[in-house]
Amino acid sequence: MKSRKSSLVLLLAALGLAATTAMAGTPGITGTYSGYYDLTVRHDSGAPGGTAMGIGTQSELWEFDFDQKCAWFSGGIVQAQPPMSGNYDYTVGNFVRGEGKTFPIDDHGDGTYTVYYRFNAQNPNFNSPVANVSSTLEITQSGTSLVISTIDMEVDDEFNGVVGTVIPTGYGFPFTAERDWSGDAWHDTGVSLNCP
């Protein structure tokens, strides 16, 4: 009986240690990285996790400079999901300097990073809406590589159960259009971003 209690105590201690050492994301990343992302545009439809309204047709390039605190995402094409249809270009850029330009990234010190950018969905059915938005990313470093995923974070630090951040009303998007960016990046000394 005594050995069972000792085993149980050791097991609980190990679980407690594992829980305290497990951490989501890596704070304080430095250096320059490049890699590829996939994009899913989600809508808060009331369904768990929301509804995918657009899915990127291929992986696209992104670059990060954590020393200068900026990022760049190439544009791409999303394929609309039912009930909508068609393929539509999108661009990502800077609030002021426009599409294709670098934009700021903030390190929150807890393994999450927020990017602030201009998102343009070039869908003529909705007058090609443009919005100044943000997305909060969980970035985990492993050696010289990064694993990057979007988390549910609204501008008021609340959560709505859908990965991404709602585009505020008034920008002309037909639904909440929460951008779910996910991908990888690798340490790349050849990255040379013109940061704001």
Side-chain angles (χ1 to χ4, degrees):
M1 182 71 166
K2 191 171 188 175
S3 67
R4 278 185 151 176
K5 282 186 178 178
S6 296
S7 296
L8 182 59
V9 168
L10 286 174
L11 177 62
L12 291 174
L15 289 173
L17 179 61
T20 59
T21 58
M23 182 173 71
T26 305
I29 296 172
T30 60
T32 53
Y33 295 79
S34 66
Y36 295 92
Y37 72 83
D38 294 308
L39 174 63
T40 301
V41 180
R42 300 183 186 281
H43 170 59
D44 184 4
S45 60
T51 301
M53 299 300 286
I55 297 175
T57 59
Q58 67 181 28
S59 297
E60 301 292 348
L61 182 66
W62 58 8
E63 297 179 336
F64 297 87
D65 185 332
F66 291 98
D67 299 328
Q68 293 191 73
K69 299 185 180 1
C70 76
W72 172 84
F73 297 5
S74 68
I77 300 170
V78 293
Q79 181 178 37
Q81 301 299 297
M84 299 184 351
S85 63
N87 289 346
Y88 302 100
D89 293 345
Y90 65 89
T91 61
V92 184
N94 185 282
F95 285 178
V96 176
R97 297 183 304 139
E99 68 182 56
K101 304 296 184 185
T102 61
F103 44 86
I105 181 169
D106 283 344
D107 178 351
H108 298 292
D110 62 358
T112 63
Y113 299 76
T114 299
V115 288
Y116 303 90
Y117 57 96
R118 177 182 183 265
F119 185 76
N120 178 205
Q122 297 172 357
N123 182 336
N125 298 322
F126 303 106
N127 298 316
S128 298
V130 178
N132 294 333
V133 295
S134 67
S135 293
T136 300
L137 310 173
E138 180 180 273
I139 304 178
T140 303
Q141 185 173 27
S142 178
T144 60
S145 65
L146 305 175
V147 175
I148 304 166
S149 58
T150 304
I151 65 170
D152 175 19
M153 179 61 69
E154 302 312 320
V155 293
D156 55 5
D157 292 331
E158 295 295 323
F159 311 99
N160 68 353
V162 178
V163 172
T165 303
V166 170
I167 290 181
T169 59
Y171 285 106
F173 285 83
F175 51 88
T176 55
E178 301 195 41
R179 287 88 41 233
D180 178 359
W181 312 94
S182 64
D184 302 285
W186 299 269
H187 183 49
D188 183 349
T189 57
V191 170
S192 179
L193 296 179
N194 180 14
C195 298

